[in-house]
Amino acid sequence: TKTGWLWTYVRDDRPFGGTDPPMVAYRFEDSRAADCAHRHLAGFSGLLQVDGYTAYKRLADPARPGGPVTLAACWAHLRRKFYELHLSGVSETATWSVERMAVLWAIEAQVRGHGPDERRQARLQCSAPVVAELFARWQADLGRIPGKSKLAEAIRHALVRRDAFEHFLQDGRIELDSNTVERAIRPQTLIRKNVLFAGSDGGGTTWATIATLLATARLNDIDPQAWLALTLERIANGWPQSRLDELMPWHHRKNETATG
């Protein structure tokens, strides 16, 4: 046997009032190497919000064919590092950091669903001072604590990615965190013991394809079973290939009474 991975990508523009339908895409791979991300995102040069995994770093290379990707960091992953120290009660800085970060999420709750410009203005006015305060304290504390401590590790994680963590202040399309992706990963994680064996690389690819379609249906508030049953029926009845786009989950409601 060998281990495989599902790489997960999500597009969801609803938090900034976008009208493009949300979707999930899973890609099956036998590796977590950076080459996988480069292959998946070939030709893409937009915004990509990521956790701290180093595989994505090369995507931001200015010399990348097609142009660099703009990487935005996830504050939820950063908060997790401080929160663990806060729970143990060993770090005043960690507790303070968690409390100050809570202000950022409170601001996000107020601007969710608003347009990019409005979100950007609110963040520059309200979130930017909090972010500056956080980085100022982290920078000052780093020189006063043991370099190999968990707190120093968390602070360095933030400092070396400061530009990526601050991108959300300048672009209202960017979320504070990548929790949308985390929610898309969770269903696959919950069932992995029940579907431990894909059988082959081809089976893994098929799994990723089916999971992509069903998860995208859920993200569009469509009943996956109803959509899949109707779609398979239409394909069996000779639905034309030129109209395959109409079978996508986000078209289900408008097409559910259509005929092939």
Side-chain angles (χ1 to χ4, degrees):
T1 61
K2 64 179 181 179
T3 302
W5 285 265
L6 287 181
W7 290 68
T8 309
Y9 301 92
V10 177
R11 179 188 71 187
D12 191 351
D13 297 347
R14 292 173 296 181
F16 62 83
T19 57
D20 286 336
M23 69 169 295
V24 183
Y26 300 101
R27 294 292 299 270
F28 176 80
E29 297 286 355
D30 61 2
S31 163
R32 294 183 71 233
D35 287 344
C36 296
H38 280 264
R39 185 169 63 256
H40 300 161
L41 299 172
F44 174 75
S45 58
L47 297 169
L48 185 67
Q49 190 149 29
V50 299
D51 55 20
Y53 187 39
T54 57
Y56 301 107
K57 187 175 180 180
R58 282 172 46 198
L59 295 170
D61 187 344
R64 176 177 176 262
V69 170
T70 299
L71 296 180
C74 170
W75 279 83
H77 281 82
L78 176 61
R79 177 186 179 277
R80 195 174 302 158
K81 295 178 180 296
F82 289 97
Y83 187 72
E84 292 170 356
L85 296 171
H86 158 68
L87 287 181
S88 65
V90 299
S91 171
E92 179 185 341
T93 292
T95 297
W96 174 85
S97 298
V98 170
E99 292 173 349
R100 296 305 291 151
M101 287 185 199
V103 177
L104 299 179
W105 270 278
I107 296 168
E108 290 302 302
Q110 296 175 9
V111 299
R112 183 167 298 276
H114 293 245
D117 290 341
E118 188 173 349
R119 282 157 61 95
R120 178 177 178 272
Q121 290 301 321
R123 290 167 172 177
L124 290 175
Q125 180 178 352
C126 303
S127 301
V130 178
V131 171
E133 185 182 7
L134 285 163
F135 277 101
R137 174 150 178 178
W138 292 336
Q139 186 70 65
D141 282 2
L142 188 60
R144 300 196 292 263
I145 60 178
K148 294 184 178 180
S149 67
K150 291 293 184 179
L151 179 60
E153 179 183 319
I155 290 176
R156 283 194 296 269
H157 177 88
L159 294 179
V160 300
R161 298 170 176 83
R162 181 167 184 172
D163 287 346
F165 278 112
E166 292 183 332
H167 269 315
F168 85 102
L169 297 173
Q170 299 294 338
D171 193 326
R173 297 171 299 171
I174 298 174
E175 284 284 85
L176 184 65
D177 54 55
S178 60
N179 285 346
T180 301
V181 178
E182 296 298 315
R183 288 191 292 271
I185 293 172
R186 190 173 298 118
Q188 307 306 320
T189 302
L190 291 174
I191 67 170
R192 63 184 170 189
K193 288 187 177 180
N194 294 328
V195 289
L196 189 59
F197 298 103
S200 65
D201 287 345
T205 300
T206 300
W207 179 11
T209 300
I210 294 174
T212 292
L213 294 170
L214 299 183
T216 297
R218 292 190 189 96
L219 199 59
N220 283 271
D221 297 322
I222 300 299
D223 180 350
Q225 183 174 357
W227 168 79
L228 184 59
L230 181 61
T231 299
L232 292 177
E233 179 183 346
R234 286 171 168 166
I235 292 174
N237 289 335
W239 188 274
Q241 290 191 4
S242 60
R243 295 172 56 197
L244 284 180
D245 180 67
E246 297 177 36
L247 298 180
M248 293 298 101
W250 49 82
H251 291 312
H252 179 65
R253 286 197 182 97
K254 68 177 68 174
N255 287 335
E256 58 189 352
T257 59
T259 59

